[in-house]
């Protein structure tokens, strides 16, 4: 007994109410598994609505069916669909559309899902792609030229659209939407 180093004993394991003995899997809500093919078929249906001129229906359809249980490829396909919908809606139509969604049944949850997609889209457009990092040319000033002139503007345009939607969404749903999205364990 004299050879036991008391400083190395993890006393949290001995306490039944310790966080070390608590399963964190119970904190995450159960989500249904979604395949990439299901997300692809949903995406094509949503794009049909968008081509038909029902942009609000397309947005609502995309936001009411987020692929929480999907793999990375399924989530990327759905993100691309949502960003395409957001880019097709005029800026003057944003606030009235968000107000109608907010006032409907389940509107708060739908707008929270939109906020998740906005943050996911912003994180993707801010990361440089591997193709753009291969074409970097070192400058004599110590700075690198990542994009050539006129190139790489698509990410900036998408970011501008996402930021406009974020601004309008916070106006309508309030800052509570940001808090709910940051604390939710389900990711899009």
């Amino acid at each position: 007994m004299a050879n036991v180093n008391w400083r190395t004993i993890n006393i949290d394991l001995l306490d039944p109410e310790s966080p070390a003995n608590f399963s964190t899997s119970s904190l995450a809500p159960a989500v249904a598994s979604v395949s990439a093919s299901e997300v692809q078929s949903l995406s094509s249906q949503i794009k049909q609505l968008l081509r038909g001129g029902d942009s609000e229906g397309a947005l609502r359809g995309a936001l009411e069916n987020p692929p929480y249980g999907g793999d990375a490829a399924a989530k990327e396909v759905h993100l691309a669909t949502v960003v395409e919908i957001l880019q097709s809606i005029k800026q003057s139509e944003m606030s009235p559309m968000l107000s109608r969604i907010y006032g409907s049944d389940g509107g708060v949850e739908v707008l929270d899902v939109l906020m998740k997609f906005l943050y996911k889209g912003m994180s993707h457009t801010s990361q440089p792609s591997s193709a753009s990092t291969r074409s970097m040319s070192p400058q004599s000033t110590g700075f690198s030229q990542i994009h050539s002139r006129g190139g790489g503007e698509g990410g900036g345009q998408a970011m501008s659209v996402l930021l406009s939607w974020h601004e309008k969404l916070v106006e309508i749903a309030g800052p509570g939407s940001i808090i709910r999205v940051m604390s939710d364990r389900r990711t899009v």
Side-chain angles (χ1 to χ4, degrees), residues 55-132:
S55 56
E56 185 173 349
L59 181 63
R60 186 178 280 278
L63 298 178
E64 288 177 348
N65 302 304
Y68 288 132
D71 59 346
K75 290 181 178 189
E76 289 297 321
V77 167
H78 204 75
L79 174 65
T81 304
V82 170
V83 170
E84 181 181 341
I85 293 167
L86 295 177
Q87 288 179 331
S88 69
I89 297 172
K90 297 175 187 168
Q91 192 162 3
S92 61
E93 298 173 358
M94 286 182 195
S95 291
M97 184 180 299
L98 290 173
S99 296
R100 285 191 300 270
I101 292 173
Y102 184 71
S104 66
D105 288 338
V108 174
E109 291 82 13
V110 171
L111 293 184
D112 288 349
V113 172
L114 176 59
M115 185 69 80
K116 288 180 186 182
F117 279 112
L118 292 176
Y119 285 138
K120 177 97 175 206
M122 286 183 213
S123 71
H124 279 268
T125 57
S126 65
Q127 295 174 350
S129 66
S130 60
S132 67

Side-chain angles (χ1 to χ4, degrees), residues 131-137 139 144-154:
S132 67
T133 55
R134 272 189 246 127
S135 65
M136 285 196 304
S137 60
Q139 302 294 313
S144 296
Q145 182 178 355
I146 295 177
H147 299 290
S148 61
R149 295 205 183 261
E153 296 296 321

Side-chain angles (χ1 to χ4, degrees), residues 135-188:
S135 65
M136 285 196 304
S137 60
Q139 302 294 313
S140 59
T141 60
F143 295 106
S144 296
Q145 182 178 355
I146 295 177
H147 299 290
S148 61
R149 295 205 183 261
E153 296 296 321
Q157 181 184 10
M159 181 63 80
S160 174
V161 169
L162 295 175
L163 287 172
S164 296
W165 275 96
H166 186 272
E167 176 188 5
K168 300 294 183 186
L169 185 56
V170 171
E171 280 179 16
I172 304 279
S177 178
I178 297 171
I179 303 299
R180 288 187 297 273
V181 167
M182 293 296 174
S183 62
D184 195 355
R185 291 184 168 263
R186 298 172 297 172
T187 60
V188 293

